[in-house]
């Protein structure tokens, strides 16, 4: 292992990532699934953050209430939203929510953030900003405000020091979100065509980040995909993603099979 690899590589961790839609819109169901994931040796349990979603999805759970239920049902799993679009959130409210959840979970929260998407009908119908450039500006300002609140602008402060970890979503092959992510604790690239694309990103990360500063690289995979090639390309986390119509039985089957 080279001297710079620790900035982007470590023992692979594996998590469940579910949309709290349909059968999974009941936070009690999510809490039971998360408890089962912890028992079976998974490292994390993450959920999507949406207000509404495109057809055929109708039932959608609030992510923060659901994550509170998950926090109370578990003691070890890392939890959080993958991902929260800060441009449609009131950042002072997110600050209160994240700190409260970090306290409730004894410091197990990771905050995934991103630009969000206009294609799901949850921006313009609710008066939210739709222009991607403006959303990017709001995201950067929101992150600056959030860390100011975490640092003592609000009390209590988070359990985790120096702050709650932030993972930044970035759609392949765009590099501006990568540059944003390098200021935080992790990169969640979406739309990767293959592990070679991830290796390209992790090479850039190694050249941009000090070797002694850990940095997570998170890859979403469908159920059954082999995480090994992605780990070789530099992923530190893989999250099993069940898409927009998860079923309780499908998710439970993957959980019970355990991480690969």
């Amino acid at each position: 292992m080279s001297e710079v690899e620790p900035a982007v590589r470590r023992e692979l961790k594996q998590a469940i990532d579910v949309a709290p839609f349909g059968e999974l819109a009941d936070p009690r169901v999510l809490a039971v699934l998360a408890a089962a994931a912890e028992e079976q040796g998974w490292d994390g349990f993450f959920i999507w953050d949406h207000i509404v979603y495109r057809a055929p999805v109708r039932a959608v759970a609030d992510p923060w209430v659901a994550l509170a239920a998950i926090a109370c049902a578990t003691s070890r799993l890392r939890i959080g939203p993958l991902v929260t679009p800060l441009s449609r959130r009131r950042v002072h409210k997110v600050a209160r929510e994240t700190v409260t959840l970090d306290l409730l979970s004894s410091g197990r929260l990771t905050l995934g953030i991103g630009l969000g998407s206009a294609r799901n009908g949850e921006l313009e119908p609710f008066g939210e900003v739709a222009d991607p450039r403006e959303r990017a500006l709001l995201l950067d300002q929101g992150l600056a405000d959030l860390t100011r609140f975490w640092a003592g602008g609000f009390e209590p402060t988070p359990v985790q020091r120096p702050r709650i970890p932030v993972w930044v979503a970035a759609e392949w092959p765009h590099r501006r979100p990568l540059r944003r992510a390098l200021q935080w604790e992790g990169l969640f690239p979406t739309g990767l065509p293959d592990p070679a694309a991830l290796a390209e990103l992790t090479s850039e990360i190694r050249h941009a980040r000090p070797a002694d500063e850990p940095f997570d690289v998170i890859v979403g995979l469908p159920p059954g995909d082999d995480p090994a090639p992605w780990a070789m390309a530099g992923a530190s986390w893989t999250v099993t993603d069940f898409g927009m119509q998860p079923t309780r039985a499908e998710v439970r089957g993957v959980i019970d099979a355990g991480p690969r």
Side-chain angles (χ1 to χ4, degrees):
M1 183 177 291
S2 73
E3 292 182 358
V4 295
E5 279 190 314
V8 294
R9 288 195 61 190
R10 65 192 70 174
E11 182 180 354
L12 181 69
K13 295 183 179 180
Q14 297 182 65
I16 299 295
D17 180 26
V18 296
F21 301 164
E23 294 180 11
L24 275 60
D26 186 337
R28 295 167 296 185
V29 171
L30 293 169
V32 169
L33 290 172
E38 183 166 272
E39 184 176 347
Q40 293 299 325
W42 294 85
D43 298 296
F45 195 97
F46 301 97
I47 64 175
W48 299 13
D49 178 356
H50 290 279
I51 299 297
V52 296
Y53 206 75
R54 60 185 181 272
V57 173
R58 293 285 297 171
V60 177
D62 177 82
W64 300 102
V65 175
L67 284 167
I70 290 166
C72 290
T74 58
S75 61
R76 179 187 57 81
L77 289 178
R78 184 143 290 269
I79 64 174
L82 282 183
V83 294
T84 287
L86 282 185
S87 66
R88 68 162 172 77
R89 302 293 304 241
R90 299 298 178 260
V91 177
H92 50 281
K93 184 69 164 61
V94 175
R96 287 297 191 202
E97 291 165 338
T98 51
V99 171
T100 301
L101 189 54
D102 200 46
L103 291 167
L104 182 62
S105 66
S106 299
R108 293 184 286 126
L109 175 65
T110 294
L111 178 62
I113 62 93
L115 287 184
S117 172
R119 65 180 178 171
N120 297 315
E122 58 185 348
L123 297 180
E124 297 101 320
F126 299 99
E128 305 290 356
V129 173
D131 178 73
R133 290 180 182 271
E134 191 173 350
R135 278 187 280 134
L137 291 172
L138 289 170
L139 173 56
D140 290 330
Q141 183 60 55
L143 281 169
D145 291 342
L146 192 59
T147 52
R148 176 169 52 84
F149 291 131
W150 287 347
F154 282 173
E155 292 185 8
T157 56
V159 172
Q160 298 181 84
R161 296 289 186 270
R163 64 188 176 206
I164 295 167
V166 174
W167 290 347
V168 179
E171 186 176 357
W172 171 266
H174 302 299
R175 290 306 196 268
R176 184 172 294 178
L178 171 60
R179 293 193 291 271
R180 176 183 294 116
L182 289 170
Q183 304 171 56
W184 304 94
E185 286 73 42
L187 173 71
F188 180 33
T190 61
L192 291 169
D194 50 42
L198 180 66
E200 184 179 325
L201 290 177
T202 56
S203 176
E204 294 178 29
I205 294 167
R206 283 196 294 270
H207 286 90
R209 293 273 302 195
D212 60 349
E213 291 186 5
F215 186 85
D216 281 310
V217 178
I218 304 92
V219 176
L221 301 177
D225 268 27
D226 183 4
W230 299 94
M232 291 295 295
S236 57
W237 282 82
T238 57
V239 294
T240 300
D241 179 357
F242 299 84
M244 63 188 282
Q245 291 186 283
T247 66
R248 183 174 185 173
E250 178 191 19
V251 175
R252 186 60 190 255
V254 170
I255 286 172
D256 289 346
R260 298 182 61 175

